[in-house]
C-alpha cells in the first residue's frame, strides 16, 4: 500500500473512521436559504461516495448574533433540524460521516447585530460589534450547546466548534479583541474560560457517543496573538472539557500573512500541529495547503498529526480518497489554491464552485450522460478550454480530435506555471494529459490546423478554443528592440535588463512583476516563512517575526492608466497578497499614466499630468489580449457547425475559470 498512514482507520472509541482524511469546513453558499438543503446534501453525498473519512459542513451559527451575514445558516430550531436532515440522510446513504461546524462570527459578522467580547470593530467588516454582557456570554455558551444538541437530532455524527480564524471564540482568547475586566477577560485563565466552558457545555448536551472537534487557533499570526505555551494549555483544557479531536487553525482572517493561497508551500504549516503532538492525548488534525496524497502521507508518516484536513481539494476532486487508495493519483484533479471560484465567490456572495472542476456545488444541475450517437468532433487549441471540452466530450463517448499548434498542451497555463509560487498549476496540465489518455482523445500537437483540415466533412462539429494573443499597443516606438510582450518574457524566456517598466497592471502585469522580482526565489518553505514574517521558533506572540525579503536585483515600475490603487481588480482573497508582495519588493507603482513613446531613453509618459521619462532597459507590455477567432467565419461560411469558447470567444475577460467551465459545458451538451 502506497499510503498506509493516510488510509489506516482511526478509532475514536464509539466510532471508527475508515481513513485519516477530514474534509475541512468550507462555506460554499449552499447552506443558506429556506427549504430543504438538497443541493448541499448532494454536494456532500458526492464527496462521501468518494471515500472521505469524515466531513465538516461550512460554519453554521448557533444564534442570530453569530450569523456570518444577514440570514445566513443557523441551527437553533426544529425547522433548521428538518432542513439539515436532507444533508445527513444523503451522506449516510453513501456510507459517509459528517459533522456540523458551529461558528459564531463575533466581530466578523457582516451585519448590525454582531456581538463580541469587546466593542472593537474588525478591520475587515464595517460593523462595530456590541460587547456581550456577562449574561450574553452565558447565553452564547448555551446557544452553542443547544445547536450541538439539534445537530445530533438532525443526524450529524458530530460537531466542530470553530475556535480559530479570528471568530468569536478566538476573539475571547486574545487581548487583541478581549478588553473585558470580568471573569471572561484579563488573565489567560479568564480569556480561555469561554472556549473551555463551550466545549464542556457541548459535550454535556450531546453525550459521550458523539464526535466533538475543537478547531484550535495554533498560530494566530496577529500581534497580541497567543504564545505557544498558551496554545498548549488551551489544547489540554479543551481535551479535559470533552473534545474528541483537535483540528488546526492557522491565522486570523485579518492576518497579513498568506496561509492558504498558491504561494504557501505544500504542507507548509504541518510543523505547527507537530508541536502539539504528545502534549494532548486526543487525535490531532493538521491542515493548510495539503492537496496531494504524498504530502498528506508524509505529514502523517513524519508524526506531524493523526489526520489531515483538506477542504478545497474536495471541490476540485470528490474522488480524491478513492484515487489515492487505488494509486491513481495521476488522475486527481488537484486544487491549485487559486481561490478564484471558491473563496472569491463566497466573498462576493456567490455560490462557490471550482476553477478546475466547474461541476462542484452544482451536483444536481449538470447532466453529463453517455452519448447515444457518437459524433466526430474537432477541438482546435489545447489550452484549458479546449482540454476541458475535449475530455468531457470524449468521456461521454464522442470521437474527439484535439489540435494544438504548439508542441505541447496547456496554452496560457504554461505561462502561469512559471510564476514563482504557481508551480501547482503543473498539476492541471498533468491531470488533463492523463484524461486525454483515459478518454481516448486523438491529440495532434505541433499542427496548425487549416480550414480545409476541418471543413472537408471529416468532422460533425468543430469547437474553436484558439485562445488569445497579447494586445499590441499603438504607440510610437512600440517596435523598439527594448519592448517585449509578457509572453516573450514568461513563455519564451526573453532576456530582461535591470531596469524594467511594465505597461498594464492587471493579473498578468502583477504576475510579470513578481516573476521579474523573484531573482532570488526558491521553493524552500523556510524562505516563505522568512519573507512573510512567520516565526517557526514561535518565540513571541502569534508566531510573528519581522519579514525579511531579499531585494530584487531589478528596478521595476508597474504602470496603469486608471486612477486609484494598482491591482484593485485582482482576486478578492488574493489581491492583497500580490499587492503586499510587490510592495515588499519595492516595485514602483504608477497610476494615471498616459504613455507617449518609447525610444533609446526609455518610456516617455505623463503621470497624473506630469511629464516623465522612465530610463529603462526594457518595457514589457501586459495590456490584455485579443481573441484569435479568424477561423470562425470561414468555417461557418462553409457550413461547418462551429462553436467558439474561452479567450477565443471573449478576450476581455480572459479567465481560466470561465474557459474551463465553457469547455465542460459544451463537452457535456454536444
Ligand atoms: P487585464 O486584467 O485586462 O489587464 C490588462 C491591463 O492593461 C488593464 O488593467 C488595463 O489597465 C491595461 N490596458 C488595456 N488596454 C490597454 C491599452 N490599449 N494601452 C495601455 N494599457 C492597456 O488583463 P491581464 O492582466 O492580461 O489578465 C488577463 C486575465 O488573466 C485576468 O482577467 C485574470 O482573470 C487572469 N489572471 C489573474 C491573475 C491573478 O489574479 N493573480 C493572474 C494572471 C492572470 P489600464 O487601462 O488602467 O492601464
Ligand atoms: Fe482550489 Fe481554485 Fe478550485 Fe478553489 S477554485 S477549489 S482554490 S482550484
Amino acid at each position: 500500500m502506497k499510503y498506509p498512514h493516510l488510509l489506516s482507520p482511526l478509532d475514536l472509541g464509539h466510532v471508527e473512521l475508515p481513513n485519516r482524511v477530514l474534509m475541512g469546513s468550507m462555506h460554499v453558499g449552499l447552506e443558506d436559504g429556506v427549504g430543504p438543503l438538497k443541493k448541499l446534501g448532494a454536494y456532500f453525498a458526492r464527496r462521501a461516495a468518494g471515500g472521505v473519512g469524515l466531513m465538516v459542513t461550512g460554519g453554521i451559527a448557533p444564534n442570530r448574533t453569530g450569523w456570518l451575514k444577514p440570514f445566513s445558516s443557523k441551527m437553533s430550531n426544529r425547522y433548521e433540524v428538518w432542513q439539515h436532515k436532507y444533508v445527513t440522510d444523503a451522506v449516510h446513504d453513501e456510507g459517509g460521516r459528517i459533522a456540523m461546524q458551529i461558528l459564531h462570527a463575533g466581530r466578523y459578522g457582516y451585519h448590525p447585530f454582531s456581538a463580541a467580547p469587546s466593542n472593537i470593530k474588525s478591520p475587515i467588516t464595517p460593523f462595530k460589534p456590541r460587547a456581550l454582557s456577562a449574561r450574553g456570554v452565558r447565553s452564547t455558551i448555551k446557544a452553542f450547546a443547544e445547536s450541538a444538541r439539534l445537530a445530533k437530532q438532525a443526524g450529524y455524527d458530530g460537531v466542530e466548534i470553530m475556535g480559530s480564524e479570528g471568530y468569536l471564540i478566538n476573539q475571547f482568547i486574545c487581548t487583541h479583541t478581549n478588553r473585558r475586566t470580568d471573569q471572561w477577560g484579563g488573565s489567560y485563565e479568564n480569556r480561555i474560560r469561554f472556549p473551555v466552558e463551550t466545549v464542556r457545555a457541548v459535550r454535556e448536551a450531546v453525550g459521550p457517543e458523539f464526535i466533538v472537534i475543537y478547531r484550535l487557533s495554533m498560530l494566530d499570526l496577529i500581534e497580541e496573538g497567543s504564545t505557544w505555551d498558551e496554545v498548549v494549555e488551551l489544547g489540554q483544557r479543551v481535551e479535559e472539557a470533552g473534545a474528541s479531536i483537535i483540528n488546526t487553525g492557522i491565522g486570523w482572517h485579518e492576518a497579513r500573512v498568506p496561509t492558504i493561497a498558491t504561494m504557501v508551500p505544500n504542507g507548509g504549516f504541518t510543523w505547527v500541529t507537530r508541536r502539539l503532538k504528545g502534549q494532548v492525548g486526543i487525535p490531532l488534525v493538521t491542515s493548510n495547503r495539503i492537496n496531494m496524497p504524498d504530502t498528506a502521507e508524509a505529514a502523517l508518516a513524519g508524526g506531524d498529526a493523526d489526520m489531515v484536513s483538506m477542504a478545497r481539494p474536495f471541490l476540485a476532486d470528490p474522488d480524491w480518497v478513492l484515487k489515492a487508495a487505488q494509486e491513481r493519483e495521476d488522475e486527481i484533479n488537484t486544487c491549485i489554491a487559486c481561490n478564484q471560484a471558491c473563496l472569491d465567490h463566497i466573498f462576493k456572495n456567490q455560490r462557490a464552485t471550482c476553477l478546475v472542476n466547474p461541476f462542484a456545488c452544482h451536483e444536481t444541475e449538470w447532466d453529463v450522460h453517455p452519448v447515444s450517437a457518437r459524433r466526430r468532433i474537432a477541438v482546435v487549441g489545447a489550452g484549458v478550454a479546449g482540454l476541458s471540452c475535449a475530455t468531457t466530450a470524449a468521456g461521454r463517448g464522442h470521437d474527439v480530435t484535439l489540435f494544438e499548434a504548439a508542441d505541447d498542451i496547456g496554452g496560457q497555463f504554461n505561462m502561469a506555471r512559471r510564476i514563482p509560487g504557481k508551480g501547482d498549476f503543473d498539476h492541471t496540465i498533468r491531470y488533463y494529459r492523463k484524461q486525454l489518455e483515459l478518454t481516448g482523445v486523438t491529440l495532434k500537437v505541433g499542427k496548425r490546423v487549416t480550414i480545409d483540415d476541418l471543413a472537408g466533412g471529416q468532422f460533425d462539429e468543430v469547437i474553436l478554443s484558439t485562445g488569445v494573443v497579447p494586445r499590441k499597443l499603438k504607440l510610437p516606438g512600440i517596435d523598439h528592440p527594448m519592448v517585449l510582450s509578457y509572453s516573450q518574457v514568461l513563455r519564451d524566456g526573453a532576456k530582461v535588463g535591470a531596469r524594467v517598466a511594465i505597461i498594464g497592471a492587471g493579473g498578468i502585469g502583477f504576475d510579470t512583476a513578481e516573476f521579474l522580482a523573484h531573482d532570488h526565489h526558491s521553493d524552500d518553505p523556510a524562505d516563505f516563512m522568512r519573507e512573510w514574517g512567520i516565526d517557526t521558533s514561535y518565540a513571541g506572540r502569534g508566531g510573528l517575526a519581522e519579514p525579511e525579503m531579499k531585494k530584487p536585483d531589478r528596478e521595476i515600475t508597474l504602470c496603469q492608466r486608471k486612477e486609484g490603487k494598482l491591482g484593485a481588480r485582482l482576486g478578492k482573497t488574493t489581491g492583497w497578497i500580490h499587492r503586499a508582495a510587490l510592495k515588499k519588493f519595492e516595485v514602483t507603482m504608477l497610476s494615471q499614466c498616459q504613455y507617449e513613446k518609447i525610444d533609446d531613453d526609455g518610456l516617455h509618459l505623463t503621470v497624473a499630468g506630469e511629464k516623465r521619462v522612465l530610463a529603462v532597459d526594457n518595457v514589457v507590455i501586459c495590456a490584455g489580449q485579443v481573441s484569435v477567432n479568424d477561423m470562425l467565419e470561414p468555417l461557418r461560411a462553409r457550413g461547418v457547425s462551429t462553436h467558439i469558447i474561452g479567450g477565443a470567444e471573449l478576450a476581455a475577460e480572459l479567465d481560466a475559470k470561465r474557459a474551463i467551465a465553457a469547455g465542460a459545458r459544451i463537452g457535456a451538451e454536444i
Side-chain angles (χ1 to χ4, degrees):
M1 203 201 264
K2 208 163 162 190
Y3 306 110
H5 296 86
L6 186 65
L7 300 171
S8 66
L10 180 67
D11 188 1
L12 293 176
H14 71 283
V15 63
E16 186 177 85
L17 302 178
N19 52 54
R20 305 302 180 102
V21 181
L22 180 98
M23 179 175 160
S25 172
M26 179 166 169
H27 204 79
V28 293
L30 296 172
E31 301 81 359
D32 311 325
V34 291
L37 297 173
K38 287 188 183 166
K39 288 184 179 178
L40 187 64
Y43 160 74
F44 278 120
R46 180 68 192 82
R47 273 96 197 139
V52 191
L54 176 64
M55 303 184 290
V56 183
T57 66
I60 311 286
N63 56 19
R64 197 177 69 151
T65 317
W67 273 344
L68 277 164
K69 59 178 188 192
F71 306 105
S72 66
S73 47
K74 173 167 79 58
M75 175 63 86
S76 63
N77 59 45
R78 283 169 55 193
Y79 172 75
E80 289 152 354
V81 170
W82 169 80
Q83 283 188 301
H84 281 256
K85 270 294 252 178
Y86 286 85
V87 177
T88 55
D89 285 348
V91 168
H92 294 151
D93 285 349
E94 292 294 343
R97 287 194 178 78
I98 185 159
M100 189 189 87
Q101 187 187 71
I102 311 177
L103 179 152
H104 191 302
R107 72 177 195 150
Y108 283 169
Y110 206 87
H111 56 85
F113 316 111
S114 64
S118 306
N119 63 342
I120 308 167
K121 194 178 94 56
S122 94
I124 57 172
T125 39
F127 300 97
K128 192 171 185 179
R130 72 181 156 82
L132 284 165
S133 64
R135 205 162 142 215
V137 176
R138 287 260 168 233
S139 74
T140 306
I141 294 173
K142 274 198 195 130
F144 267 91
E146 176 62 2
S147 199
R149 191 186 68 77
L150 294 173
K152 189 175 180 191
Q153 207 176 316
Y156 282 103
D157 302 281
V159 288
E160 177 172 82
I161 299 169
M162 182 41 152
S164 66
E165 260 70 6
Y167 291 112
L168 181 77
I169 290 180
N170 230 177
Q171 293 160 24
F172 268 96
I173 297 167
C174 296
T175 51
H176 177 61
T177 38
N178 184 346
R179 304 281 161 78
R180 299 178 76 95
T181 50
D182 60 4
Q183 59 165 330
W184 306 101
S187 66
Y188 189 63
E189 173 71 24
N190 279 358
R191 299 198 311 273
I192 62 171
R193 194 183 305 281
F194 184 74
V196 174
E197 291 299 319
T198 300
V199 175
R200 202 185 314 283
V202 164
R203 176 54 80 197
E204 272 167 23
V206 295
E209 308 224 318
F210 197 66
I211 301 168
V212 176
I213 308 167
Y214 180 81
R215 182 106 174 253
L216 174 60
S217 187
M218 293 192 201
L219 186 73
D220 291 320
L221 296 175
I222 55 154
E223 307 280 340
E224 294 184 75
S226 295
T227 63
W228 180 250
D229 288 346
E230 289 173 345
V231 169
V232 174
E233 187 182 338
L234 179 57
Q236 292 167 345
R237 297 288 299 279
V238 299
E239 177 180 8
E240 269 165 34
S244 16
I245 295 177
I246 292 178
N247 194 359
T248 303
I250 303 287
W252 289 37
H253 284 318
E254 67 207 67
R256 293 289 89 183
V257 179
T259 54
I260 60 166
T262 316
M263 68 290 291
V264 177
N266 291 125
F269 287 103
T270 63
W271 61 271
V272 184
T273 320
R274 188 191 178 87
R275 289 184 73 115
L276 199 60
K277 280 285 282 180
Q279 309 273 356
V280 294
I282 51 179
L284 291 177
V285 187
T286 194
S287 125
N288 290 48
R289 284 292 278 132
I290 297 169
N291 62 358
M292 284 299 277
D294 53 352
T295 312
E297 178 68 16
L300 296 175
D304 293 350
D306 305 286
M307 278 187 100
V308 291
S309 168
M310 290 172 282
R312 297 170 299 169
F314 288 106
L315 256 75
D317 196 333
D319 291 325
W320 193 100
V321 174
L322 216 57
K323 289 176 181 175
Q326 295 169 352
E327 299 184 12
R328 291 159 47 215
E329 52 288 270
D330 54 348
E331 291 179 38
I332 291 177
N333 194 3
T334 307
C335 166
I336 55 174
C338 65
N339 287 356
Q340 270 174 257
C342 51
L343 295 182
D344 284 351
H345 275 209
I346 291 301
F347 279 89
K348 285 187 281 182
N349 262 330
Q350 296 167 356
R351 189 195 307 183
T353 180
C354 172
L355 180 138
V356 298
N357 175 23
F359 304 101
C361 303
H362 293 268
E363 284 70 21
T364 57
E365 292 154 51
W366 285 78
D367 178 19
V368 189
H369 56 269
V371 293
S372 47
R374 192 165 201 246
R375 317 187 74 190
R376 296 160 309 159
I377 298 173
V379 179
V380 186
V384 287
L387 289 165
S388 156
C389 173
T391 53
T392 309
R396 294 174 53 226
H398 284 307
D399 174 6
V400 181
T401 306
L402 175 60
F403 296 96
E404 170 56 52
D407 290 337
D408 201 2
I409 63 169
Q412 301 278 313
F413 260 49
N414 288 320
M415 278 187 256
R417 60 188 274 273
R418 299 202 58 212
I419 309 300
K422 287 195 174 176
D424 272 2
F425 281 52
D426 275 344
H427 282 299
T428 305
I429 314 251
R430 180 264 306 148
Y431 166 76
Y432 278 124
R433 209 182 291 288
K434 186 70 188 174
Q435 287 301 310
L436 291 174
E437 183 193 315
L438 292 172
T439 57
V441 172
T442 304
L443 176 65
K444 298 202 170 173
V445 292
K447 161 120 185 101
R448 187 166 292 281
V449 80
T450 64
I451 302 288
D452 285 342
D453 292 332
L454 300 169
Q458 308 91 321
F459 298 103
D460 303 311
E461 304 280 350
V462 172
I463 289 131
L464 296 177
S465 47
T466 34
V468 293
V469 285
R471 174 181 285 124
K472 227 180 152 194
L473 299 189
K474 290 190 186 82
L475 189 66
I478 196 70
D479 293 319
H480 192 283
M482 75 160 69
V483 180
L484 297 168
S485 70
Y486 68 82
S487 65
Q488 286 174 296
V489 175
L490 300 177
R491 188 189 58 206
D492 307 335
K495 205 167 170 310
V496 179
R499 300 164 307 163
V500 191
I502 297 173
I503 291 184
I508 292 181
F510 267 74
D511 271 1
T512 304
E514 274 196 57
F515 176 82
L516 293 171
H518 268 87
D519 295 311
H520 305 292
H521 178 78
S522 83
D523 286 328
D524 184 350
D527 283 345
F528 170 82
M529 303 296 159
R530 252 196 309 277
E531 287 174 4
W532 286 98
I534 302 163
D535 176 14
T536 50
S537 73
Y538 220 132
R541 291 201 165 271
L544 285 178
E546 199 52 47
E548 283 174 39
M549 197 64 141
K550 287 192 189 127
K551 297 281 177 298
D553 296 335
R554 280 199 183 88
E555 219 176 83
I556 301 168
T557 308
L558 186 56
C559 312
Q560 73 173 19
R561 296 177 302 182
K562 281 187 281 295
E563 263 188 67
K565 76 174 173 195
L566 277 73
R569 285 178 51 227
L570 295 177
K572 189 106 179 128
T573 60
T574 52
W576 68 269
I577 305 174
H578 297 296
R579 285 189 293 273
L582 294 196
K583 208 166 156 195
K584 285 181 207 272
F585 282 131
E586 296 179 10
V587 169
T588 305
M589 307 223 190
L590 301 178
S591 58
Q592 291 183 270
C593 297
Q594 290 301 325
Y595 313 111
E596 287 176 357
K597 65 175 178 181
I598 298 163
D599 62 18
D600 290 347
D601 294 332
L603 172 63
H604 298 247
L605 73 172
T606 59
V607 182
E610 187 193 320
K611 275 191 180 304
R612 288 180 60 177
V613 181
L614 300 178
V616 291
D617 306 304
N618 290 104
V619 177
V620 183
I621 311 295
C622 302
Q625 298 77 19
V626 288
S627 299
V628 178
N629 54 12
D630 49 322
M631 295 176 102
L632 181 64
E633 287 317 317
L635 282 169
R636 285 190 175 157
R638 286 181 59 175
V640 181
S641 172
T642 310
H643 315 261
I644 189 158
I645 57 172
E649 184 194 15
L650 182 64
E653 289 168 26
L654 165 72
D655 167 352
K657 179 180 72 174
R658 181 171 59 80
I660 291 178
R665 185 156 297 280
I666 195 159
E669 287 173 357
I670 205 161

